[in-house]
Amino acid sequence: MVKTIIPYEQCPRFEKTFGILGRKWNGLIIDALLTEGSQRFRDLANMVDKCSDRVLVERLKELEEEDLIERVLQEESARPVYRLTKRGRDLSRVMKDIHEWSEKWYTLEDCQ
């Protein structure tokens, strides 16, 4: 019997998703919004403190274009808040699994 080898083929949807979540800072932004809820830019910048303001603006725009977050103007303030969309909130299980995996396999010393 001859075994046929089928070449590995990347799923385009998985590739797109991993491209978004794997981009530096995106996962941390999503996690901060999942954990703390809607945030103003400055508060979000403080949570993802190693990300420059310029890059944070770029990432927020990208995540907004992907319909993972939305920028909402509040009536009482001219400053917008950023919050997850339904699509973004649906990542909560994935982010929980990543937290559990990282706690299992990395120590705090590994992160220094």
Side-chain angles (χ1 to χ4, degrees):
M1 185 170 135
V2 177
K3 187 174 181 179
T4 305
I5 299 174
I6 300 171
Y8 176 76
E9 189 175 314
Q10 191 73 248
C11 170
R13 290 178 285 203
F14 179 82
E15 187 176 348
K16 178 168 179 59
T17 302
F18 215 82
I20 295 165
L21 295 180
R23 185 130 190 206
K24 192 168 186 176
W25 309 116
N26 284 355
L28 298 177
I29 294 166
I30 292 167
D31 190 59
L33 293 171
L34 278 168
T35 304
E36 299 297 327
S38 301
Q39 297 293 315
R40 289 186 173 163
F41 180 86
R42 185 54 35 215
D43 297 326
L44 199 51
N46 288 334
M47 287 181 207
V48 188
D49 64 338
K50 293 179 183 171
C51 180
S52 71
D53 286 355
R54 181 186 62 77
V55 172
L56 182 57
V57 167
E58 289 174 10
R59 295 300 182 269
L60 290 170
K61 285 180 183 177
E62 291 168 6
L63 292 170
E64 193 172 5
E65 288 171 6
E66 294 296 338
D67 193 33
L68 294 171
I69 66 168
E70 59 187 347
R71 184 176 180 265
V72 180
L73 293 174
Q74 297 178 312
E75 292 178 20
E76 66 274 1
S77 173
R79 295 183 183 151
V81 295
Y82 294 90
R83 67 179 180 202
L84 293 168
T85 62
K86 183 178 187 306
R87 187 184 225 179
R89 290 188 305 274
D90 205 33
L91 288 166
S92 64
R93 191 186 84 219
V94 172
M95 298 306 279
K96 180 181 178 285
D97 288 345
I98 292 171
H99 273 284
E100 290 173 1
W101 184 89
S102 65
E103 288 172 13
K104 178 179 179 179
W105 292 102
Y106 290 108
T107 66
L108 291 177
E109 291 80 28
D110 293 330
C111 303
Q112 301 298 321

